[in-house]
PDB file of all heavy atoms in Angstrom:
ATOM      1  N   PHE R 407      13.720   1.527  -9.685  1.00 81.00           N
ATOM      2  CA  PHE R 407      15.031   1.183  -9.144  1.00 81.00           C
ATOM      3  C   PHE R 407      15.024   1.270  -7.617  1.00 81.00           C
ATOM      4  O   PHE R 407      15.611   0.435  -6.932  1.00 81.00           O
ATOM      5  CB  PHE R 407      16.118   2.109  -9.721  1.00 81.00           C
ATOM      6  CG  PHE R 407      16.690   1.627 -11.023  1.00 81.00           C
ATOM      7  CD1 PHE R 407      16.382   2.257 -12.216  1.00 81.00           C
ATOM      8  CD2 PHE R 407      17.540   0.533 -11.055  1.00 81.00           C
ATOM      9  CE1 PHE R 407      16.896   1.800 -13.418  1.00 81.00           C
ATOM     10  CE2 PHE R 407      18.073   0.068 -12.251  1.00 81.00           C
ATOM     11  CZ  PHE R 407      17.746   0.703 -13.436  1.00 81.00           C
ATOM     12  N   LYS R 408      14.334   2.285  -7.080  1.00 77.00           N
ATOM     13  CA  LYS R 408      14.258   2.440  -5.634  1.00 77.00           C
ATOM     14  C   LYS R 408      13.488   1.263  -5.012  1.00 77.00           C
ATOM     15  O   LYS R 408      13.823   0.778  -3.942  1.00 77.00           O
ATOM     16  CB  LYS R 408      13.566   3.760  -5.289  1.00 77.00           C
ATOM     17  CG  LYS R 408      13.598   4.109  -3.824  1.00 77.00           C
ATOM     18  CD  LYS R 408      15.024   4.256  -3.295  1.00 77.00           C
ATOM     19  CE  LYS R 408      15.747   5.421  -3.891  1.00 77.00           C
ATOM     20  NZ  LYS R 408      17.097   5.580  -3.327  1.00 77.00           N
ATOM     21  N   MET R 409      12.472   0.823  -5.714  1.00 76.00           N
ATOM     22  CA  MET R 409      11.704  -0.326  -5.246  1.00 76.00           C
ATOM     23  C   MET R 409      12.595  -1.569  -5.196  1.00 76.00           C
ATOM     24  O   MET R 409      12.522  -2.375  -4.264  1.00 76.00           O
ATOM     25  CB  MET R 409      10.510  -0.568  -6.172  1.00 76.00           C
ATOM     26  CG  MET R 409       9.574  -1.652  -5.685  1.00 76.00           C
ATOM     27  SD  MET R 409       8.271  -2.018  -6.863  1.00 76.00           S
ATOM     28  CE  MET R 409       9.220  -2.870  -8.122  1.00 76.00           C
ATOM     29  N   TYR R 410      13.463  -1.725  -6.194  1.00 78.00           N
ATOM     30  CA  TYR R 410      14.378  -2.862  -6.222  1.00 78.00           C
ATOM     31  C   TYR R 410      15.340  -2.796  -5.021  1.00 78.00           C
ATOM     32  O   TYR R 410      15.592  -3.805  -4.359  1.00 78.00           O
ATOM     33  CB  TYR R 410      15.168  -2.853  -7.521  1.00 78.00           C
ATOM     34  CG  TYR R 410      16.273  -3.888  -7.571  1.00 78.00           C
ATOM     35  CD1 TYR R 410      15.978  -5.232  -7.777  1.00 78.00           C
ATOM     36  CD2 TYR R 410      17.598  -3.515  -7.392  1.00 78.00           C
ATOM     37  CE1 TYR R 410      16.982  -6.188  -7.795  1.00 78.00           C
ATOM     38  CE2 TYR R 410      18.608  -4.459  -7.411  1.00 78.00           C
ATOM     39  CZ  TYR R 410      18.302  -5.793  -7.621  1.00 78.00           C
ATOM     40  OH  TYR R 410      19.293  -6.730  -7.627  1.00 78.00           O
ATOM     41  N   GLU R 411      15.848  -1.584  -4.727  1.00 76.00           N
ATOM     42  CA  GLU R 411      16.738  -1.428  -3.575  1.00 76.00           C
ATOM     43  C   GLU R 411      16.019  -1.803  -2.279  1.00 76.00           C
ATOM     44  O   GLU R 411      16.587  -2.466  -1.404  1.00 76.00           O
ATOM     45  CB  GLU R 411      17.223   0.023  -3.478  1.00 76.00           C
ATOM     46  CG  GLU R 411      18.195   0.439  -4.560  1.00 76.00           C
ATOM     47  CD  GLU R 411      18.601   1.891  -4.399  1.00 76.00           C
ATOM     48  OE1 GLU R 411      18.896   2.295  -3.251  1.00 76.00           O
ATOM     49  OE2 GLU R 411      18.599   2.629  -5.395  1.00 76.00           O
ATOM     50  N   LEU R 412      14.775  -1.365  -2.154  1.00 74.00           N
ATOM     51  CA  LEU R 412      13.986  -1.677  -0.964  1.00 74.00           C
ATOM     52  C   LEU R 412      13.788  -3.183  -0.806  1.00 74.00           C
ATOM     53  O   LEU R 412      13.901  -3.730   0.289  1.00 74.00           O
ATOM     54  CB  LEU R 412      12.622  -0.994  -1.041  1.00 74.00           C
ATOM     55  CG  LEU R 412      12.560   0.457  -0.575  1.00 74.00           C
ATOM     56  CD1 LEU R 412      11.219   1.055  -0.933  1.00 74.00           C
ATOM     57  CD2 LEU R 412      12.790   0.552   0.923  1.00 74.00           C
ATOM     58  N   GLU R 413      13.495  -3.836  -1.921  1.00 74.00           N
ATOM     59  CA  GLU R 413      13.270  -5.278  -1.881  1.00 74.00           C
ATOM     60  C   GLU R 413      14.533  -6.003  -1.427  1.00 74.00           C
ATOM     61  O   GLU R 413      14.482  -6.928  -0.600  1.00 74.00           O
ATOM     62  CB  GLU R 413      12.834  -5.785  -3.252  1.00 74.00           C
ATOM     63  CG  GLU R 413      12.506  -7.267  -3.262  1.00 74.00           C
ATOM     64  CD  GLU R 413      12.177  -7.784  -4.647  1.00 74.00           C
ATOM     65  OE1 GLU R 413      12.688  -7.220  -5.630  1.00 74.00           O
ATOM     66  OE2 GLU R 413      11.415  -8.751  -4.733  1.00 74.00           O
ATOM     67  N   GLN R 414      15.691  -5.598  -1.956  1.00 77.00           N
ATOM     68  CA  GLN R 414      16.950  -6.239  -1.590  1.00 77.00           C
ATOM     69  C   GLN R 414      17.258  -6.019  -0.114  1.00 77.00           C
ATOM     70  O   GLN R 414      17.699  -6.932   0.593  1.00 77.00           O
ATOM     71  CB  GLN R 414      18.101  -5.704  -2.452  1.00 77.00           C
ATOM     72  CG  GLN R 414      17.956  -6.010  -3.949  1.00 77.00           C
ATOM     73  CD  GLN R 414      17.806  -7.506  -4.204  1.00 77.00           C
ATOM     74  OE1 GLN R 414      16.751  -7.976  -4.581  1.00 77.00           O
ATOM     75  NE2 GLN R 414      18.877  -8.251  -3.986  1.00 77.00           N
ATOM     76  N   GLU R 415      17.012  -4.786   0.372  1.00 72.00           N
ATOM     77  CA  GLU R 415      17.269  -4.483   1.779  1.00 72.00           C
ATOM     78  C   GLU R 415      16.312  -5.259   2.680  1.00 72.00           C
ATOM     79  O   GLU R 415      16.684  -5.727   3.755  1.00 72.00           O
ATOM     80  CB  GLU R 415      17.125  -2.975   2.005  1.00 72.00           C
ATOM     81  CG  GLU R 415      17.543  -2.503   3.386  1.00 72.00           C
ATOM     82  CD  GLU R 415      19.040  -2.614   3.615  1.00 72.00           C
ATOM     83  OE1 GLU R 415      19.804  -2.676   2.620  1.00 72.00           O
ATOM     84  OE2 GLU R 415      19.446  -2.661   4.790  1.00 72.00           O
ATOM     85  N   PHE R 416      15.071  -5.394   2.218  1.00 71.00           N
ATOM     86  CA  PHE R 416      14.067  -6.144   2.978  1.00 71.00           C
ATOM     87  C   PHE R 416      14.512  -7.601   3.144  1.00 71.00           C
ATOM     88  O   PHE R 416      14.442  -8.164   4.231  1.00 71.00           O
ATOM     89  CB  PHE R 416      12.727  -6.072   2.247  1.00 71.00           C
ATOM     90  CG  PHE R 416      11.585  -6.668   3.013  1.00 71.00           C
ATOM     91  CD1 PHE R 416      10.799  -5.869   3.829  1.00 71.00           C
ATOM     92  CD2 PHE R 416      11.291  -8.019   2.939  1.00 71.00           C
ATOM     93  CE1 PHE R 416       9.750  -6.414   4.550  1.00 71.00           C
ATOM     94  CE2 PHE R 416      10.256  -8.576   3.650  1.00 71.00           C
ATOM     95  CZ  PHE R 416       9.475  -7.762   4.463  1.00 71.00           C
ATOM     96  N   LYS R 417      14.964  -8.206   2.060  1.00 75.00           N
ATOM     97  CA  LYS R 417      15.423  -9.599   2.111  1.00 75.00           C
ATOM     98  C   LYS R 417      16.596  -9.758   3.066  1.00 75.00           C
ATOM     99  O   LYS R 417      16.696 -10.741   3.815  1.00 75.00           O
ATOM    100  CB  LYS R 417      15.820 -10.065   0.706  1.00 75.00           C
ATOM    101  CG  LYS R 417      14.634 -10.289  -0.227  1.00 75.00           C
ATOM    102  CD  LYS R 417      15.104 -10.722  -1.608  1.00 75.00           C
ATOM    103  CE  LYS R 417      13.923 -10.975  -2.538  1.00 75.00           C
ATOM    104  NZ  LYS R 417      14.370 -11.347  -3.904  1.00 75.00           N
ATOM    105  N   LYS R 418      17.504  -8.775   3.040  1.00 73.00           N
ATOM    106  CA  LYS R 418      18.682  -8.834   3.906  1.00 73.00           C
ATOM    107  C   LYS R 418      18.277  -8.754   5.383  1.00 73.00           C
ATOM    108  O   LYS R 418      18.747  -9.531   6.212  1.00 73.00           O
ATOM    109  CB  LYS R 418      19.632  -7.686   3.557  1.00 73.00           C
ATOM    110  CG  LYS R 418      20.950  -7.732   4.302  1.00 73.00           C
ATOM    111  CD  LYS R 418      21.937  -6.720   3.753  1.00 73.00           C
ATOM    112  CE  LYS R 418      21.517  -5.306   4.101  1.00 73.00           C
ATOM    113  NZ  LYS R 418      22.521  -4.318   3.680  1.00 73.00           N
ATOM    114  N   CYS R 419      17.371  -7.800   5.706  1.00 68.00           N
ATOM    115  CA  CYS R 419      16.896  -7.646   7.085  1.00 68.00           C
ATOM    116  C   CYS R 419      16.156  -8.900   7.548  1.00 68.00           C
ATOM    117  O   CYS R 419      16.337  -9.371   8.669  1.00 68.00           O
ATOM    118  CB  CYS R 419      15.967  -6.443   7.200  1.00 68.00           C
ATOM    119  SG  CYS R 419      16.808  -4.858   7.092  1.00 68.00           S
ATOM    120  N   TRP R 420      15.330  -9.430   6.671  1.00 67.00           N
ATOM    121  CA  TRP R 420      14.536 -10.612   7.024  1.00 67.00           C
ATOM    122  C   TRP R 420      15.457 -11.805   7.303  1.00 67.00           C
ATOM    123  O   TRP R 420      15.242 -12.556   8.242  1.00 67.00           O
ATOM    124  CB  TRP R 420      13.567 -10.925   5.895  1.00 67.00           C
ATOM    125  CG  TRP R 420      12.606 -12.022   6.241  1.00 67.00           C
ATOM    126  CD1 TRP R 420      12.628 -13.316   5.832  1.00 67.00           C
ATOM    127  CD2 TRP R 420      11.469 -11.912   7.110  1.00 67.00           C
ATOM    128  NE1 TRP R 420      11.578 -14.023   6.372  1.00 67.00           N
ATOM    129  CE2 TRP R 420      10.849 -13.189   7.162  1.00 67.00           C
ATOM    130  CE3 TRP R 420      10.916 -10.863   7.834  1.00 67.00           C
ATOM    131  CZ2 TRP R 420       9.717 -13.429   7.930  1.00 67.00           C
ATOM    132  CZ3 TRP R 420       9.783 -11.107   8.591  1.00 67.00           C
ATOM    133  CH2 TRP R 420       9.191 -12.375   8.635  1.00 67.00           C
ATOM    134  N   ALA R 421      16.487 -11.966   6.472  1.00 72.00           N
ATOM    135  CA  ALA R 421      17.435 -13.075   6.658  1.00 72.00           C
ATOM    136  C   ALA R 421      18.154 -12.948   7.996  1.00 72.00           C
ATOM    137  O   ALA R 421      18.360 -13.938   8.698  1.00 72.00           O
ATOM    138  CB  ALA R 421      18.437 -13.085   5.509  1.00 72.00           C
ATOM    139  N   ASN R 422      18.519 -11.714   8.375  1.00 68.00           N
ATOM    140  CA  ASN R 422      19.212 -11.493   9.650  1.00 68.00           C
ATOM    141  C   ASN R 422      18.332 -11.871  10.835  1.00 68.00           C
ATOM    142  O   ASN R 422      18.791 -12.475  11.802  1.00 68.00           O
ATOM    143  CB  ASN R 422      19.642 -10.029   9.778  1.00 68.00           C
ATOM    144  CG  ASN R 422      20.797  -9.700   8.844  1.00 68.00           C
ATOM    145  OD1 ASN R 422      21.518 -10.584   8.410  1.00 68.00           O
ATOM    146  ND2 ASN R 422      20.950  -8.432   8.511  1.00 68.00           N
ATOM    147  N   TYR R 423      17.048 -11.512  10.741  1.00 62.00           N
ATOM    148  CA  TYR R 423      16.154 -11.809  11.857  1.00 62.00           C
ATOM    149  C   TYR R 423      15.781 -13.285  11.918  1.00 62.00           C
ATOM    150  O   TYR R 423      15.514 -13.827  12.984  1.00 62.00           O
ATOM    151  CB  TYR R 423      14.906 -10.924  11.785  1.00 62.00           C
ATOM    152  CG  TYR R 423      15.129  -9.609  12.483  1.00 62.00           C
ATOM    153  CD1 TYR R 423      15.646  -8.527  11.795  1.00 62.00           C
ATOM    154  CD2 TYR R 423      14.881  -9.480  13.844  1.00 62.00           C
ATOM    155  CE1 TYR R 423      15.889  -7.328  12.447  1.00 62.00           C
ATOM    156  CE2 TYR R 423      15.119  -8.295  14.509  1.00 62.00           C
ATOM    157  CZ  TYR R 423      15.622  -7.210  13.808  1.00 62.00           C
ATOM    158  OH  TYR R 423      15.870  -6.042  14.456  1.00 62.00           O
ATOM    159  N   GLU R 424      15.773 -13.940  10.767  1.00 59.00           N
ATOM    160  CA  GLU R 424      15.519 -15.379  10.773  1.00 59.00           C
ATOM    161  C   GLU R 424      16.678 -16.120  11.444  1.00 59.00           C
ATOM    162  O   GLU R 424      16.477 -17.117  12.136  1.00 59.00           O
ATOM    163  CB  GLU R 424      15.310 -15.878   9.338  1.00 59.00           C
ATOM    164  CG  GLU R 424      13.917 -15.624   8.804  1.00 59.00           C
ATOM    165  CD  GLU R 424      13.634 -16.467   7.562  1.00 59.00           C
ATOM    166  OE1 GLU R 424      14.563 -16.696   6.778  1.00 59.00           O
ATOM    167  OE2 GLU R 424      12.478 -16.885   7.400  1.00 59.00           O
ATOM    168  N   LYS R 425      17.891 -15.621  11.256  1.00 61.00           N
ATOM    169  CA  LYS R 425      19.068 -16.250  11.871  1.00 61.00           C
ATOM    170  C   LYS R 425      19.014 -16.148  13.397  1.00 61.00           C
ATOM    171  O   LYS R 425      19.344 -17.087  14.109  1.00 61.00           O
ATOM    172  CB  LYS R 425      20.350 -15.577  11.362  1.00 61.00           C
ATOM    173  CG  LYS R 425      20.730 -15.966   9.940  1.00 61.00           C
ATOM    174  CD  LYS R 425      21.995 -15.237   9.516  1.00 61.00           C
ATOM    175  CE  LYS R 425      22.345 -15.549   8.066  1.00 61.00           C
ATOM    176  NZ  LYS R 425      23.546 -14.785   7.625  1.00 61.00           N
ATOM    177  N   THR R 426      18.590 -14.978  13.887  1.00 57.00           N
ATOM    178  CA  THR R 426      18.562 -14.767  15.335  1.00 57.00           C
ATOM    179  C   THR R 426      17.285 -15.301  15.973  1.00 57.00           C
ATOM    180  O   THR R 426      17.161 -15.332  17.197  1.00 57.00           O
ATOM    181  CB  THR R 426      18.661 -13.259  15.655  1.00 57.00           C
ATOM    182  OG1 THR R 426      17.554 -12.572  15.045  1.00 57.00           O
ATOM    183  CG2 THR R 426      19.954 -12.687  15.114  1.00 57.00           C
ATOM    184  N   ARG R 427      16.319 -15.705  15.134  1.00 50.00           N
ATOM    185  CA  ARG R 427      15.036 -16.207  15.622  1.00 50.00           C
ATOM    186  C   ARG R 427      14.307 -15.165  16.473  1.00 50.00           C
ATOM    187  O   ARG R 427      13.489 -15.487  17.323  1.00 50.00           O
ATOM    188  CB  ARG R 427      15.218 -17.471  16.469  1.00 50.00           C
ATOM    189  CG  ARG R 427      15.883 -18.598  15.723  1.00 50.00           C
ATOM    190  CD  ARG R 427      14.894 -19.320  14.847  1.00 50.00           C
ATOM    191  NE  ARG R 427      15.500 -20.451  14.154  1.00 50.00           N
ATOM    192  CZ  ARG R 427      14.862 -21.188  13.260  1.00 50.00           C
ATOM    193  NH1 ARG R 427      13.617 -20.909  12.974  1.00 50.00           N
ATOM    194  NH2 ARG R 427      15.460 -22.191  12.664  1.00 50.00           N
ATOM    195  N   LYS R 428      14.584 -13.894  16.241  1.00 53.00           N
ATOM    196  CA  LYS R 428      13.977 -12.835  17.047  1.00 53.00           C
ATOM    197  C   LYS R 428      12.676 -12.383  16.398  1.00 53.00           C
ATOM    198  O   LYS R 428      12.615 -12.145  15.196  1.00 53.00           O
ATOM    199  CB  LYS R 428      14.944 -11.648  17.153  1.00 53.00           C
ATOM    200  CG  LYS R 428      14.423 -10.503  18.008  1.00 53.00           C
ATOM    201  CD  LYS R 428      15.462  -9.388  18.071  1.00 53.00           C
ATOM    202  CE  LYS R 428      14.923  -8.207  18.865  1.00 53.00           C
ATOM    203  NZ  LYS R 428      15.884  -7.091  18.919  1.00 53.00           N
ATOM    204  N   ASP R 429      11.624 -12.303  17.218  1.00 51.00           N
ATOM    205  CA  ASP R 429      10.342 -11.829  16.699  1.00 51.00           C
ATOM    206  C   ASP R 429      10.443 -10.339  16.405  1.00 51.00           C
ATOM    207  O   ASP R 429      11.048  -9.579  17.161  1.00 51.00           O
ATOM    208  CB  ASP R 429       9.219 -12.054  17.718  1.00 51.00           C
ATOM    209  CG  ASP R 429       8.925 -13.536  17.894  1.00 51.00           C
ATOM    210  OD1 ASP R 429       9.175 -14.292  16.943  1.00 51.00           O
ATOM    211  OD2 ASP R 429       8.460 -13.918  18.975  1.00 51.00           O
ATOM    212  N   ILE R 430       9.816  -9.903  15.334  1.00 52.00           N
ATOM    213  CA  ILE R 430       9.829  -8.492  14.974  1.00 52.00           C
ATOM    214  C   ILE R 430       8.522  -8.149  14.279  1.00 52.00           C
ATOM    215  O   ILE R 430       8.008  -8.926  13.474  1.00 52.00           O
ATOM    216  CB  ILE R 430      11.035  -8.151  14.055  1.00 52.00           C
ATOM    217  CG1 ILE R 430      11.059  -6.655  13.744  1.00 52.00           C
ATOM    218  CG2 ILE R 430      11.032  -8.970  12.776  1.00 52.00           C
ATOM    219  CD1 ILE R 430      12.355  -6.202  13.081  1.00 52.00           C
ATOM    220  N   HIS R 431       7.981  -7.010  14.621  1.00 54.00           N
ATOM    221  CA  HIS R 431       6.751  -6.565  13.974  1.00 54.00           C
ATOM    222  C   HIS R 431       7.073  -6.171  12.534  1.00 54.00           C
ATOM    223  O   HIS R 431       8.135  -5.604  12.252  1.00 54.00           O
ATOM    224  CB  HIS R 431       6.165  -5.364  14.740  1.00 54.00           C
ATOM    225  CG  HIS R 431       4.759  -5.039  14.345  1.00 54.00           C
ATOM    226  ND1 HIS R 431       4.455  -4.395  13.174  1.00 54.00           N
ATOM    227  CD2 HIS R 431       3.585  -5.288  14.962  1.00 54.00           C
ATOM    228  CE1 HIS R 431       3.153  -4.257  13.092  1.00 54.00           C
ATOM    229  NE2 HIS R 431       2.598  -4.782  14.163  1.00 54.00           N
ATOM    230  N   TYR R 432       6.170  -6.478  11.629  1.00 53.00           N
ATOM    231  CA  TYR R 432       6.384  -6.200  10.204  1.00 53.00           C
ATOM    232  C   TYR R 432       6.745  -4.731   9.979  1.00 53.00           C
ATOM    233  O   TYR R 432       7.623  -4.411   9.191  1.00 53.00           O
ATOM    234  CB  TYR R 432       5.119  -6.558   9.427  1.00 53.00           C
ATOM    235  CG  TYR R 432       5.219  -6.336   7.929  1.00 53.00           C
ATOM    236  CD1 TYR R 432       5.956  -7.203   7.140  1.00 53.00           C
ATOM    237  CD2 TYR R 432       4.588  -5.262   7.325  1.00 53.00           C
ATOM    238  CE1 TYR R 432       6.056  -7.013   5.784  1.00 53.00           C
ATOM    239  CE2 TYR R 432       4.676  -5.059   5.960  1.00 53.00           C
ATOM    240  CZ  TYR R 432       5.405  -5.936   5.193  1.00 53.00           C
ATOM    241  OH  TYR R 432       5.505  -5.728   3.849  1.00 53.00           O
TER     242      TYR R 432
END
Side-chain angles (χ1 to χ4, degrees):
F407 273 107
K408 188 60 66 178
M409 186 185 72
Y410 172 76
E411 290 179 45
L412 276 170
E413 183 184 28
Q414 297 304 110
E415 188 69 21
F416 187 93
K417 288 179 179 178
K418 186 170 71 175
C419 288
W420 187 256
N422 288 339
Y423 273 89
E424 280 196 325
K425 285 179 183 177
T426 60
R427 301 280 182 185
K428 182 179 177 182
D429 291 333
I430 183 169
H431 193 284
Y432 181 74

